[in-house]
């Protein structure tokens, strides 16, 4: 009887015996990780550490912000809006009908260079209020078709621009390609033409991997309604860089896309005459069209946001460091002072 009770008692304490099997125990296996006993660094944020951290951030960020702003201000940029100017006055009350008509849409505008512009000078077109990030618009394309001739019939994701009116697939299919920008620009200075180099404006990865050398436009703009540019059917997609630039959809409704490069210097006060074909319809959605000439610096194109962001963070950290320093010297208190705990304060204190 006693031996039976003893064996039962030993069995009940089997969890403490490493050799005995565990009997339906729900206790997790012991480890320093599960018991939160791993070595850890627990720094104590003293006022000196806090002030030093804010001051270091300010010392680093403020010079970076100033350098970014100076680099952005070195960029010379000329912007010319023209969608209204290039509509004849008698047609400005019916702009949609005019842009959809067969009327001559050649227009001449001028741009005055404010400062010397060193080559290369990048030519951009800018569109406002054009939502290339719309879900249905972004999905209306076929990357397989763009890449390989064998996938010419892969147009299931391209509706409504998937099949031509007379039958057969549209290459390249989809709304993105269909709505490709088709305004053209010709530049001159002192009655001498300025050539625009349109090679090397697309990403290298697009030319080599995303657009096939054996894929040629076919039935393009053949869906019944012309949306934009007409592609040359004798040139493979891998060499049509205007299309590659347009197919990289923008994330915001105001965007710029590279049109080409002017590879001569422009001097201050030069007047650049631009003869353009105002073909692209932005009037249906109250969009704006702008022509942009821009140089670059070590930071890229003109963008003050990065410099302003660094300066803002740096100035905030500097103000916090100075404020904490003043408080520390005017009204110091002992680190870990228990009198500031609520249960150690008087009944009338808050």
């Amino acid at each position: 009887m006693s031996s039976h009770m003893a064996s039962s008692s030993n069995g009940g304490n089997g969890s403490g015996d490493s050799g005995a099997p565990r009997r339906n125990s729900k206790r997790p296996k012991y480890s320093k990780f599960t018991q939160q006993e791993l070595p850890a660094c627990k720094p104590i944020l003293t006022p000196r550490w806090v002030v030093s951290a804010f001051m270091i951030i300010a010392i680093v960020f403020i010079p970076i912000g100033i350098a970014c702003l100076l680099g952005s201000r070195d960029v010379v940029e000329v912007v010319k809006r023209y969608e209204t100017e290039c509509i004849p006055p008698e047609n400005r009350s019916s702009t949609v009908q005019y842009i959809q008509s067969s009327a001559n849409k050649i227009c001449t505008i001028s741009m005055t260079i404010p400062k010397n512009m060193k080559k290369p000078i990048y030519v951009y077109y800018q569109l406002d209020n054009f939502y290339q990030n719309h879900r249905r618009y972004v999905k209306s394309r076929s990357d397989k078709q763009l890449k390989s001739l064998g996938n010419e019939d892969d147009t299931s994701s391209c509706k409504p621009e998937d099949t031509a009116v007379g039958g057969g697939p549209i290459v390249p299919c989809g709304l993105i390609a269909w709505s490709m920008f088709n305004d053209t620009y010709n530049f001159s200075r002192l009655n001498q033409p300025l050539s625009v180099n349109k090679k090397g404006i697309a990403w290298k990865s697009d030319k080599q991997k995303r657009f096939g050398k054996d894929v040629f436009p076919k039935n393009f703009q053949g869906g019944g309604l012309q949306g934009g540019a007409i592609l040359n059917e004798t040139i493979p997609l891998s060499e049509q860089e205007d299309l590659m630039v347009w197919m990289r959809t923008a994330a915001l409704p105001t965007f710029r896309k590279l049109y080409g490069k002017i590879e001569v210097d422009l001097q201050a006060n030069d007047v650049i005459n631009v003869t353009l074909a105002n073909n692209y319809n932005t009037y249906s959605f109250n969009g704006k069209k702008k022509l942009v000439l821009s140089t670059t610096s070590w930071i890229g194109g003109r963008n003050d946001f990065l410099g302003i962001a660094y300066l803002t963070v740096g100035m905030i950290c500097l103000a916090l460091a100075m404020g904490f320093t003043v408080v520390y010297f005017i009204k110091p208190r002992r680190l870990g002072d228990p009198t500031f705990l609520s249960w150690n304060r008087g009944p009338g204190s808050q």
Side-chain angles (χ1 to χ4, degrees):
M1 182 71 176
S2 60
S3 62
H4 176 71
M5 293 296 293
S7 62
S8 299
S9 175
N10 291 336
N13 296 329
S15 59
D17 187 358
S18 60
R22 300 175 61 187
R23 297 181 179 179
N24 299 325
S25 174
K26 295 182 179 180
R27 184 174 66 182
K29 183 180 179 181
Y30 171 80
S31 71
K32 290 186 176 182
F33 177 77
T34 58
Q35 299 303 316
Q36 300 184 12
E37 296 178 357
L38 292 173
C41 177
K42 300 177 181 179
I44 299 176
L45 297 178
T46 64
R48 291 183 180 180
W49 274 105
V50 173
V51 170
S52 300
F54 279 126
M55 190 62 69
I56 290 173
I57 294 175
I59 291 173
V60 173
F61 275 45
I62 291 176
I64 294 177
I66 294 174
C68 291
L69 274 180
L70 292 176
S72 178
R73 298 298 168 85
D74 286 340
V75 176
V76 183
E77 186 176 281
V78 187
V79 182
K80 180 69 173 182
R81 179 180 169 183
Y82 65 88
E83 84 281 349
T84 301
E85 183 177 344
C86 285
I87 295 289
E90 63 272 14
N91 297 110
R92 290 179 183 174
S93 60
S94 55
T95 54
V96 176
Q97 289 82 353
Y98 172 78
I99 202 68
Q100 292 177 346
S101 69
S102 58
N104 183 11
K105 303 180 182 67
I106 301 298
C107 172
T108 301
I109 59 176
S110 61
M111 307 175 73
T112 302
I113 307 302
K115 299 179 181 179
N116 293 340
M117 301 181 73
K118 299 293 184 181
K119 62 180 181 182
I121 299 165
Y122 295 91
V123 181
Y124 299 91
Y125 56 87
Q126 176 176 320
L127 298 180
D128 295 1
N129 202 36
F130 191 115
Y131 289 82
Q132 273 198 317
N133 60 351
H134 192 283
R135 180 179 61 87
R136 292 186 64 186
Y137 182 87
V138 172
K139 292 175 62 178
S140 184
R141 63 185 294 164
S142 174
D143 288 323
K144 291 182 179 179
Q145 185 199 62
L146 296 173
K147 188 176 181 180
S148 174
L149 179 61
N151 294 316
E152 182 181 277
D153 295 326
D154 185 8
T155 61
S156 58
S157 60
C158 293
K159 293 181 179 179
E161 293 297 319
D162 54 345
T163 306
V165 173
I170 296 175
V171 182
C173 67
L175 288 174
I176 303 177
W178 172 79
S179 61
M180 180 180 166
F181 188 77
N182 63 338
D183 283 6
T184 59
Y185 310 106
N186 292 295
F187 299 86
S188 64
R189 177 181 58 176
L190 299 175
N191 295 324
Q192 298 296 321
L194 291 173
S195 61
V196 178
N197 183 8
K198 305 193 72 172
K199 296 293 184 181
I201 62 175
W203 288 22
K204 187 177 179 180
S205 58
D206 286 350
K207 297 180 65 175
Q208 294 181 349
K209 298 180 180 179
R210 299 186 65 181
F211 292 81
K213 296 180 179 180
D214 59 345
V215 182
F216 292 81
K218 180 180 179 182
N219 298 324
F220 191 62
Q221 300 292 1
L225 178 65
Q226 181 176 340
I230 296 177
L231 299 178
N232 190 333
E233 296 189 355
T234 64
I235 301 176
L237 297 186
S238 61
E239 297 181 15
Q240 305 218 25
E241 297 192 36
D242 283 336
L243 174 67
M244 300 178 199
V245 171
W246 180 257
M247 293 289 285
R248 282 205 165 267
T249 52
L252 300 176
T254 297
F255 59 86
R256 293 177 180 179
K257 291 186 181 291
L258 187 58
Y259 181 82
K261 294 177 286 186
I262 298 176
E263 297 182 331
V264 296
D265 295 340
L266 299 180
Q267 307 302 319
N269 299 319
D270 279 352
V271 177
I272 307 300
N273 294 313
V274 185
T275 302
L276 62 90
N278 183 30
N279 298 317
Y280 200 68
N281 182 11
T282 58
Y283 307 96
S284 297
F285 53 89
N286 295 321
K288 301 175 184 178
K289 292 191 285 188
K290 297 176 183 178
L291 176 61
V292 182
L293 303 181
S294 177
T295 60
T296 58
S297 66
W298 62 270
I299 199 174
R302 170 165 289 185
N303 186 358
D304 292 342
F305 174 78
L306 189 61
I308 292 174
Y310 271 106
L311 277 178
T312 301
V313 174
M315 295 301 292
I316 291 174
C317 290
L318 180 61
L320 290 174
M322 295 176 64
F324 288 153
T325 301
V326 171
V327 172
Y328 177 68
F329 282 107
I330 292 178
K331 193 177 180 181
R333 67 184 179 93
R334 183 166 53 91
L335 183 65
D337 190 352
T339 59
F340 282 83
L341 297 175
S342 61
W343 54 84
N344 289 333
R345 303 171 71 178
S349 61
Q350 297 295 331

